[in-house]
């Protein structure tokens, strides 16, 4: 690794310590992983490549090309293992979420390969022994025999056996003796004997039948004694010796120890070798230790971990000549992982390394009783849903979707790496669906210790968690002895007087524990059997510094709730427990997202789920049929019901509507006004003494409390409020009561209810002026602090209330309050909006606010000001969003306006895409390629050929910008459809007579996958390019395609007859690649601009370019700055420039060209430029 790359890697690692696993921790894990056997090492590298941790080009560079690829890897490893470890560590560190499991899996396989004493019968040649050349072995055998100690038989190396095959090694008996005198002589070996000796040395060792004396059992050295040590700088190799190479009966087997490079600490008094050194030592050292004593060799480097194979019952020890070993007492050494508690480095891993399951004492009776008590309590508390419905009878099980995180580098990429959620396409979401049983386990059944459950307001996160608690109480989660549910709504985040014990027993939804000390002590003994759930995590107001100053003590030390959470999350306390965090996606901070083991999103209701829920809600069959019919016939209500809370709200309204002929609400504001009014009406009927008249209640005070809570990001209601008001609000379902540690707390029941009441306060309170109403009504041009999903809902309600046309008895506004001034202010603001300046997310909110007005005037105004190219790129669209967009765009035909719409990365469902694409005002659209193909197949299967032809013609790819792998992965399928003129699962399609117009008309393509994914996915782009015959701009900068990629590109350039600009800057293209390109460039007659900036082109490559320059008649600009050619190559390019009268500029400055030569060339031709 060059100094520059190493410095970049180190600077990146230093910058990321606060947000992800430190680079040095990953480097330590990689060093350990490199010590596995070659077969597992190759498997490790292959898996990292298959999971896109290594690009194809990078993976091939490890092995080089050709038959000696594996030998090249061995040479690199033994010559400079530290450099190899650091080279591998950087991409592994950048993709740690993926790499961690692969490393753990390979290391666990290595542990499993270590046999027990009973299994160790034969000495099988270790694959790593192939790394030791025969000539080295022979040289050491000869030198050993020449300088051998007097205790050995002089015929030690002479009697090789080619017959015996038993490889059992027997230790030296205590009464074994050797000749007293040994003749010192130099052995003469001729060529014939050398060949014979080499062949015989490759035979297996023979067992000696004699048993040790004194009745002692033989200390059989197992195969594991000769395994490759996982010490990063020392390897113990097993060499298959024949019997005479072992001492006589009961003798000690020998070991070859290879020391590597400058990282092995030299022995005292020896000369430091410049290359690998091999030492033959006895596997048992009688003078050093007594029989049966095992000593683990000291690690030569700080932080090195003793390998698993050295923790068995038989361990190789140092030579008897090692004075340091002689001085060691017989001790037992425990191996510690760098990520465990004994190491000073902090453990940032999300999952601990694989360890043996602890044998725990049986739980005391008081613990068993409490577990039984808490399960019974959970069954009682979690058995009902909102509205008094039973969990078992009314719950609809929705799917989970595994979400992905994207590492996104910004301006300070060397200092920090930000992660953000990847918005999946509809087809990807279907593939990523999971059920509730897979919540805590990956596909490889590895336990997830930190899980984040994401979901929008009303999607059912709390209900899902309640059902999860019921599952545990019924025995469906046997991996957990304890489940503690914490509602972040009722936690006091300001106090710092909580301990871990108080958090679990006093603040969670758990019954009082009589012997909490005994139960807590048992919890500390089995943390991996504890599940702690943080529900409503978005109610933690201030996320800044959330993971700083974590709690570090299990005792009665006092902390804040944030510190306790940080300690649990970072495994400082109760390490091994499982955390489940439920939150809204807009309100959670990235620093939590980037460290969790799993990100899951709770899906909303599908059309089938809506039907199932409605049938469960209405017991009477006739009511079920009527309700389902009304929901299906009302498209807006049907789209609303994809949110489970809004589905319940709709069913509640249908259940209590005065007449079956009543029209259903057409806006969210109208829906919640009717439902809130109905709640208050029912409460007054049930308890006339408290709520004789809804008008007599202090509703403005309730609305003011809602607004104050919303401002403080709090759902609590002031306990000092009117008792009558609180009681009636609780009866009506506007408020819900929660049990806190010492008292009951009242909270607004959901986000929609609190936001509606807050909007009422803003609209009718005289203390709120027009400016404040405008600030909270519609979106604004200027950026401001994101306030999450709550702000979006509030804006819709305020706009809806200001322009509402509700019937008497439905509106909860006081009709006596004049709101004309506020309406006028909002109207003026809407008229001044410039949709062209809004980012996609704000543009979507503007659509919702305009829809809530129910005003054709504002709809036409919006459509008039919309840009021709609408973009919702990167904004997740739910069914309600799709309906609102379609509803407003339908009116564009009257204005004779047409739009191009970008629906990439919007997660739009196929049905919504079908509805949008079918609009007459949509002249072209761009959606995820897989979803687009799915739309075509859906239209084809429904025999809707007219709309199929329209959808094919409207689809566009221009301009195509690939920034993620999935942007390019489905393009080959699209090309196949284009060539074969049929869909993948069908025969000939008439609508595809002329192929896919989007491919024929694509003019600009930017391939920006970067150095990590670019080389791997570049071949897919090569498959596509021949079909892009109209392509004019091809930008391939910074993808490191190398010479091989340049050669592939050269093979398809002749198809790009319209290409005008080709950017190949910073792609590691050398002379070989330029030679191939130079031959192909004249076949692109329209090429006007060519950039090869920042590659590795030398004089040879410059000469190839110079030869073809005169043949490129239309080329105007050539950029070859910062390459490796000298004044020779520059002179040839300058000479060729004289024959290119049409060229306008040649940029060729680099450090290898003498400045005087460059200035001379510039004076000769002013078209030559520098920087």
């Amino acid at each position: 690794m060059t100094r520059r790359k190493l410095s970049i890697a180190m600077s990146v690692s230093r910058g990321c310590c606060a947000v992800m696993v430190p680079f040095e921790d990953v480097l330590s894990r990689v060093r350990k992983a490199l010590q596995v056997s070659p077969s597992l090492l190759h498997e490790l590298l292959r898996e990292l490549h298959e999971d896109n941790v290594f690009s194809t080009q990078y993976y091939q560079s490890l092995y080089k090309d050709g038959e000696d690829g594996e030998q090249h890897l061995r040479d690199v490893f033994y010559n400079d293992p530290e450099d190899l470890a650091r080279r591998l560590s950087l991409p592994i560190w950048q993709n740690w979420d993926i790499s961690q499991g692969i490393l753990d899996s390979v290391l666990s396989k290595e542990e499993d390969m270590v046999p027990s004493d009973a299994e160790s019968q034969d000495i099988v040649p270790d694959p790593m022994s192939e790394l030791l050349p025969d000539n080295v072995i022979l040289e050491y055998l000869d030198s050993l025999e020449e300088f051998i100690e007097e205790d050995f038989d002089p015929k030690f190396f002479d009697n090789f056996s080619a017959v015996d095959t038993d490889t059992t090694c027997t230790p030296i008996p205590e009464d074994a003796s050797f000749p007293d005198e040994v003749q010192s002589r130099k052995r003469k070996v001729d060529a014939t004997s050398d060949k014979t000796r080499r062949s015989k040395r490759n035979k297996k060792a023979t067992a000696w039948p004699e048993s040790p004396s004194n009745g002692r059992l033989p200390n059989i050295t197992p195969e594991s004694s000769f395994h490759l040590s996982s010490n990063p700088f020392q390897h113990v190799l097993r060499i298959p010796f024949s019997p005479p190479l072992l001492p006589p009966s009961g003798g000690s087997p020998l070991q070859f120890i290879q020391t590597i490079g400058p990282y092995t600490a030299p022995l005292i008094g020896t000369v430091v070798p410049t290359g690998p050194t091999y030492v033959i030592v006895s596997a048992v050292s009688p003078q050093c230790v007594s029989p049966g004593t095992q000593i683990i060799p000291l690690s030569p480097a700080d932080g090195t971990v003793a390998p698993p194979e050295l923790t068995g019952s038989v361990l190789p020890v140092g030579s008897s000549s090692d004075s340091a070993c002689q001085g060691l007492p017989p001790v037992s050494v425990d191996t510690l992982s760098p990520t465990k508690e004994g190491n000073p480095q902090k453990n940032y891993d999300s999952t601990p390394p694989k360890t043996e399951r602890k044998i725990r004492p049986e739980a005391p009776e008081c613990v068993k009783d409490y577990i039984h008590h808490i399960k019974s309590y959970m069954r009682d508390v979690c058995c009902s849903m909102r509205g008094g419905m039973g969990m078992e009878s009314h719950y609809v099980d929705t799917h989970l979707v595994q979400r992905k995180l994207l590492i996104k580098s910004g301006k300070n990429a060397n200092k920090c790496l930000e992660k953000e959620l990847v918005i999946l396409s509809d087809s990807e979401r279907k593939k990523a669906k999971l059920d509730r049983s897979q919540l805590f386990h990956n596909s490889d059944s590895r336990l997830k210790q930190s899980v984040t459950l994401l979901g929008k307001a009303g999607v059912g996160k709390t209900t899902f968690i309640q059902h999860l608690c019921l599952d545990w109480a019924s025995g469906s989660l046997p991996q957990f002895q304890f489940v503690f549910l914490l509602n972040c709504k009722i936690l006091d985040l300001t106090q710092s007087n909580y301990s871990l014990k108080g958090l679990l027993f006093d603040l969670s939804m758990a019954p009082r524990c009589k012997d909490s000390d005994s139960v807590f002590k048992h919890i500390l003994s089995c943390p991996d059997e504890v599940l702690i759930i943080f529900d409503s995590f978005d109610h933690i107001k201030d996320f800044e510094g959330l993971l700083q100053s974590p709690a570090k003590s299990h005792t009665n030390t006092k902390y804040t709730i944030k510190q306790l959470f940080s300690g649990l999350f970072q495994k400082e306390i109760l390490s091994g427990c499982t955390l489940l965090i439920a939150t809204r996606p807009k309100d959670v901070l990235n620093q939590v997202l980037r460290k969790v083991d799993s990100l899951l999103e709770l899906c909303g209701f599908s059309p089938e789920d809506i039907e199932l829920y409605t049938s469960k809600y209405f017991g009477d069959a006739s009511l079920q049929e009527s309700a389902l019919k009304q929901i299906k016939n009302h498209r807006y209500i049907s789209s609303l019901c994809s949110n489970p809370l809004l589905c319940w709200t709709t069913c509640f309204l249908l259940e209590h509507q005065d007449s079956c002929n009543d029209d259903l609400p057409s806006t969210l504001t109208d829906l919640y006004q009717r439902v809130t009014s109905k709640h208050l009406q029912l409460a007054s009927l049930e308890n006339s003494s408290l709520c004789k008249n809804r008008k007599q209640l202090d509703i403005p005070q309730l609305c003011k409390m809602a607004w104050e809570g919303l401002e403080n990001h709090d759902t609590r209601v002031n306990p000092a409020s009117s008792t009558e008001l609180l009681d009636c609000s609780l009866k009506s379902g506007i408020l819900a009561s929660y049990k806190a540690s010492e008292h009951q707390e009242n909270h607004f029941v959901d986000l929609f209810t609190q936001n509606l009441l807050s909007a009422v306060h803003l609209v009718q309170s005289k203390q709120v002026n027009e400016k404040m109403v405008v600030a909270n009504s519609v979106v604004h041009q200027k950026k401001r602090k994101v306030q999450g999903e709550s702000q979006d809902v509030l804006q819709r309600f305020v706009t809806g209330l200001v322009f509402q046309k509700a019937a008497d008895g439905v509106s909860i506004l006081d009709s006596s309050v004049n709101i004309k001034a506020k309406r006028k202010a909002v109207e003026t603001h809407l008229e001044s909006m410039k949709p062209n300046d809004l980012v996609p997310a704000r543009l979507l909110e503007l659509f919702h606010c305009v829809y809530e007005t129910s005003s054709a005037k504002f709809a036409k105004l919006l459509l008039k000001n919309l840009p021709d190219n609408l973009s919702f790129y990167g904004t997740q669209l739910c069914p309600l969003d799709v309906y609102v967009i379609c509803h407003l765009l339908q009116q564009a035909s009257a204005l004779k306006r047409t739009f191009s719409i970008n629906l990439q990365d919007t997660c739009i469902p196929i049905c919504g895409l079908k509805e949008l694409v079918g609009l007459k005002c949509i002249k072209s659209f761009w959606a995820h390629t897989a979803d687009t193909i799915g739309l075509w197949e859906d239209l084809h299967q429904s025999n809707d050929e007219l709309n199929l032809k329209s959808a094919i013609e409207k689809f566009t790819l221009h301009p195509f910008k690939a920034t993620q792998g999935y942007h390019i992965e489905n393009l080959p399928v699209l090309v196949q459809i284009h060539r074969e003129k049929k869909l993948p699962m069908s025969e000939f399609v008439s609508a595809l007579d002329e192929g896919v117009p989007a491919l024929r008309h694509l003019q600009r393509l930017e391939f920006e996958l970067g150095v990590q994914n670019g080389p791997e996915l570049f071949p897919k782009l090569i498959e596509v390019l021949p079909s892009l015959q109209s392509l004019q701009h091809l930008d391939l900068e910074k993808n490191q395609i190398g010479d091989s990629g340049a050669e592939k590109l050269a093979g398809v350039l002749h198809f790009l007859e319209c290409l005008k600009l080709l950017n190949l800057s910073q792609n590691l293209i050398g002379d070989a690649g330029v030679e191939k390109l130079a031959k192909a460039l004249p076949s692109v007659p329209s090429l006007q601009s060519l950039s090869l900036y920042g590659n590795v082109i030398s004089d040879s490559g410059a000469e190839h370019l110079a030869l073809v320059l005169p043949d490129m008649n239309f080329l105007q600009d050539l950029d070859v700055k910062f390459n490796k050619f000298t004044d020779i190559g520059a002179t040839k390019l300058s000479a060729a420039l004289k024959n290119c009268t049409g060229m306008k500029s040649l940029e060729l400055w680099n450090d290898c060209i003498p400045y005087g030569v460059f200035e001379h060339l510039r004076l000769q031709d002013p078209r030559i430029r520098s920087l």
Side-chain angles (χ1 to χ4, degrees), residues 770-978:
E770 292 81 3
K771 185 176 180 180
M772 184 177 292
V773 173
V774 171
N776 292 279
S777 59
V778 289
V779 294
H780 292 259
Q781 306 284 151
K782 297 181 180 180
K783 294 182 179 179
R784 60 178 179 177
K785 184 178 179 180
V786 177
Q787 300 184 26
E789 190 175 356
S790 179
Q791 180 67 26
D792 298 340
V793 176
L794 178 64
Q795 290 174 167
R796 301 178 196 180
F797 280 146
V798 171
T799 309
L801 288 173
V802 167
F803 294 98
Q804 75 164 353
K805 298 177 183 178
D808 293 338
V810 174
S811 174
I812 59 175
L813 288 177
D814 187 351
S815 57
S816 63
V817 178
N818 189 348
I819 61 172
K820 291 183 179 179
K822 295 179 179 179
R823 181 185 300 124
K824 182 63 177 179
V826 175
E827 184 176 345
T828 303
H829 181 72
L830 281 173
E831 292 174 348
S832 66
M833 290 293 297
K834 298 179 180 179
N836 195 30
D837 298 334
L838 297 177
V839 297
R842 293 179 183 271
L843 179 62
L844 177 62
E845 280 309 309
L846 178 60
F847 268 77
H848 277 286
C849 289
V850 171
Y851 177 81
E852 289 294 324
T853 65
S854 301
S855 170
K857 171 187 173 182
F858 292 117
K860 291 180 180 179
L861 181 64
L862 173 65
L863 293 172
K864 181 180 178 181
N865 295 330
L866 282 177
D868 292 335
N869 297 316
L870 285 178
S871 177
F872 294 99
Y873 178 83
T875 302
Q876 190 165 336
L877 299 179
C878 66
L880 178 60
D881 299 326
V882 175
Y883 173 82
V884 169
I885 296 171
C886 289
H887 177 80
L888 293 177
L889 290 181
Q890 281 176 345
Q891 305 177 42
S893 300
L895 301 176
K896 298 182 179 179
R897 290 215 59 188
T898 57
F899 304 98
S900 297
I901 188 168
N902 187 347
L903 298 171
Q904 284 190 102
D905 295 346
T906 59
C907 188
I908 184 171
I910 298 295
C911 58
L913 182 62
K914 181 179 180 180
E915 187 175 1
L916 263 175
V917 172
L919 296 177
K920 293 181 179 180
C921 64
I922 300 297
K923 64 178 180 181
S924 63
F925 76 97
W926 188 4
H928 194 285
T929 306
D931 290 347
T932 302
I933 296 174
L935 169 65
W936 294 347
E937 290 178 336
D938 180 75
L939 292 171
H940 179 66
Q941 291 172 3
S942 60
N943 295 320
D944 193 352
E945 295 299 324
L946 183 62
N947 284 326
L948 173 60
K949 185 175 181 62
S950 175
I952 293 174
E953 292 175 350
K954 288 182 178 182
F955 178 60
T956 183
L957 291 170
H958 178 75
F960 185 84
K961 186 174 183 178
T963 57
Q964 301 300 324
Y966 59 87
H967 290 161
I968 204 79
E969 287 172 347
N970 291 294
L971 278 184
V973 180
L974 194 64
V975 169
Q976 181 182 357
I977 294 173
H978 176 70

Side-chain angles (χ1 to χ4, degrees), residues 949 952-953 974-975 977-982 988-1001 1027 1029:
K949 185 175 181 62
I952 293 174
E953 292 175 350
L974 194 64
V975 169
I977 294 173
H978 176 70
R979 292 172 179 171
E980 298 178 359
K981 295 180 173 53
K982 73 180 188 66
F988 177 79
V989 178
S990 58
L992 289 167
D993 285 343
E994 299 180 1
V996 179
L999 291 175
R1000 296 201 319 269
H1001 300 153
S1027 300
Q1029 299 176 2

Side-chain angles (χ1 to χ4, degrees), residues 43-58:
E43 179 183 348
L44 170 64
L45 298 180
R46 185 177 66 254
E47 288 187 12
L48 290 171
H49 170 243
E50 291 174 353
D51 286 354
N52 298 326
V53 177
F54 295 156
S55 65
T56 301
Q57 184 181 21
Y58 183 83

